[in-house]
Amino acid sequence: VTRAAAAGRRVRLVGLGAGFDTRSLRLEGVWCAAEIDLPDVVAQKKEILARLAKRRPEILSRPTLLAADLNDAAQTASALREAMGVVGPADGVGGARDQADEHTVFVCEALMIYLDDAAATRLVRLCRDAAAESGGASF
C-alpha cells in the first residue's frame, strides 16, 4: 500500500472474509476500500460501523461492505465485480478514470482454511481476473 501510494497510484483495498477487522479504516494511502464477507457478518459490521460513525462520521465513506459466500463461485464473482467498481472520493459520479493508475491489494488473512481447495483456487483466480484491467494487484 505504502509503495503504490508513494508512486502516485490509487490504492484499492479489497478485504476478503474481513470479519470485524478495521484495517480498511486504519490504513493510510488507501483510495477506496471494499470488504466481502458472509451476509450475517456484513449485517453485524454495518450496525457496529453505524454506531461508531456517531463519534467518527468520516468512516461512513469507507469501507463498502458486500455480502457473499466466498465458497460460492457466482456470489464471489459478483461481489468482486462490485468491489472493483467502488471508487474513491476524488472521482466524480459517472466520470471516467484511468484504471492503469490503480493498484488493488487483496487481503485474505486467515481465510483460506475456511474454503475448500477448489474455492480457494477459484478465489485467487477471480481476484486476478477482476484486477486485470487495473494497473496491478497484490495479495
Side-chain angles (χ1 to χ4, degrees):
V1 171
T2 305
R3 280 185 292 212
R9 315 266 316 270
R10 295 180 297 184
V11 178
R12 171 189 319 280
L13 180 71
V14 179
L16 304 167
F20 298 102
D21 183 60
T22 59
R23 179 179 286 115
S24 63
L25 300 172
R26 295 179 284 113
L27 274 179
E28 293 185 26
V30 173
W31 166 64
C32 63
E35 295 180 1
I36 304 169
D37 212 324
L38 293 168
D40 289 346
V41 174
V42 168
Q44 290 176 34
K45 191 163 187 176
K46 283 182 179 181
E47 289 178 22
I48 291 167
L49 290 178
R51 287 196 310 261
L52 179 59
K54 291 176 184 174
R55 289 179 282 145
R56 293 185 49 207
E58 71 276 7
I59 70 161
L60 288 175
S61 64
R62 195 165 86 191
T64 298
L65 301 176
L66 306 168
D69 179 347
L70 296 172
N71 274 302
D72 182 289
Q75 287 184 34
T76 301
S78 177
L80 282 169
R81 279 191 301 276
E82 192 170 347
M84 296 306 291
V86 171
V87 295
D91 287 321
V93 176
R97 69 183 204 263
D98 183 3
Q99 289 183 313
D101 288 339
E102 298 175 12
H103 184 84
T104 303
V105 176
F106 294 98
V107 178
C108 53
E109 185 177 3
L111 167 68
M112 298 303 191
I113 60 171
Y114 297 104
L115 302 178
D116 60 54
D117 290 345
T121 301
R122 182 177 54 243
L123 176 61
V124 172
R125 287 184 181 140
L126 286 168
C127 289
R128 178 201 61 202
D129 295 347
E133 293 181 17
S134 72
S138 55
F139 289 84

